[in-house]
Amino acid sequence: DSGVTQTPKHLITATGQRVTLRCSPRSGDLSVYWYQQSLDQGLQFLIQYYNGEERAKGNILERFSAQQFPDLHSELNLSSLELGDSALYFCASSVEGGRDYTATQYFGPGTRLTVL
Amino acid sequence: AQKITQTQPGMFVQEKEAVTLDCTYDTSDPSYGLFWYKQPSSGEMIFLIYQGSYDQQNATEGRYSLNFQKARKSANLVISASQLGDSAMYFCAMRDRSNDYKLSFGAGTTVTVRA
């Protein structure tokens, strides 16, 4: 158990809908990272938050947004869902702010999103 | 450009034998970190081992060791005494300044351990 929690574990929804994925980092970790894992694209970095502020952006669509709350949990919001958004979404956390190449990111169990 | 290359899409290994998973990387940054993760069929991503670019010795964690060859830009994972529970997908990943310290993953290698 990495100490990172994600809910829900599975999510099935229809095209055009909006969903929210939730993540709680390990105790003491200030950074939260979101990743998308799909069969055709592999593991892609989406976005990072550090202590409530957006720190880095990756291949995140405009239909997707995220935030980190004062208690450090984070939510990833996916809207106007398309079939291609079906994927495994991971949250990871680390203690550092995203500039430490030695720092390990610990991953949550993931949320498997299926868009029908 | 692909920064992490894992050329073995799938491998079979006999229980109790060792297996080596290849990983080559591309960076011009002298400071970087290399990571290996395991993803079993249940889906979670489990951190296994870390190697820093300035580390003089190869990293080891239990049955996992990293064969780090800096000049060749390779960081191969060695799993000794394979167990059935080692059957999983294994990902090599890197963080460096040129990619703004983001964790970049290879395509992964599937390992199947046979009894």
Side-chain angles (χ1 to χ4, degrees):
Chain A
D1 186 347
S2 67
V4 180
T5 61
Q6 286 188 251
T7 56
K9 194 165 175 62
H10 300 278
L11 202 47
I12 301 174
T13 189
T15 54
Q17 294 299 305
R18 173 190 169 95
V19 296
T20 298
L21 313 184
R22 184 187 167 106
C23 166
S24 291
R26 294 187 322 156
S27 175
D29 285 358
L30 298 177
S31 272
V32 168
Y33 304 78
W34 286 98
Y35 292 85
Q36 179 194 60
Q37 185 181 32
S38 59
L39 283 174
D40 54 344
Q41 302 252 354
L43 265 157
Q44 298 280 321
F45 166 72
L46 296 178
I47 197 165
Q48 179 211 351
Y49 278 80
Y50 174 73
N51 205 20
E53 308 241 333
E54 182 185 304
R55 183 59 70 93
K57 251 183 177 178
N59 302 318
I60 188 165
L61 300 172
E62 284 193 13
R63 301 182 285 108
F64 295 2
S65 65
Q67 55 183 325
Q68 186 179 29
F69 295 86
D71 66 352
L72 301 177
H73 90 271
S74 177
E75 293 180 356
L76 179 67
N77 300 296
L78 315 176
S79 62
S80 303
L81 285 167
E82 301 174 1
L83 296 177
D85 297 328
S86 295
L88 187 53
Y89 290 84
F90 285 108
C91 162
S93 76
S94 73
V95 66
E96 46 78 46
R99 293 289 182 271
D100 182 355
Y101 67 87
T102 70
T104 298
Q105 293 180 21
Y106 293 91
F107 283 70
T111 292
R112 187 169 296 279
L113 174 66
T114 303
V115 183
L116 302 175
Chain B
Q2 181 68 35
K3 296 176 70 72
I4 300 287
T5 303
Q6 296 181 253
T7 57
Q8 309 149 307
M11 299 182 71
F12 290 92
V13 60
Q14 207 63 33
E15 199 177 7
K16 298 179 186 176
E17 290 186 351
V19 61
T20 298
L21 309 183
D22 295 341
C23 172
T24 58
Y25 57 92
D26 181 28
T27 181
S28 56
D29 195 331
S31 306
Y32 52 89
L34 297 157
F35 304 81
W36 278 91
Y37 288 86
K38 171 185 178 182
Q39 186 176 35
S41 58
S42 50
E44 69 267 33
M45 194 74 75
I46 302 164
F47 166 69
L48 294 178
I49 195 166
Y50 163 80
Q51 180 85 46
S53 59
Y54 296 111
D55 293 344
Q56 296 295 310
Q57 295 192 328
N58 287 338
T60 60
E61 283 288 348
R63 293 186 299 109
Y64 303 109
S65 60
L66 218 150
N67 183 4
F68 181 46
Q69 298 186 48
K70 195 170 180 177
R72 301 176 75 174
K73 293 189 176 178
S74 77
N76 299 339
L77 178 71
V78 180
I79 307 174
S80 62
S82 295
Q83 302 172 356
L84 295 177
D86 294 333
S87 294
M89 179 85 101
Y90 290 82
F91 292 94
C92 179
M94 180 175 70
R95 296 182 79 173
D96 67 348
R97 188 177 64 177
S98 68
N99 195 32
D100 203 25
Y101 301 101
K102 294 169 190 161
L103 196 57
S104 300
F105 286 86
T109 295
T110 301
V111 171
T112 304
V113 181
R114 290 170 163 158

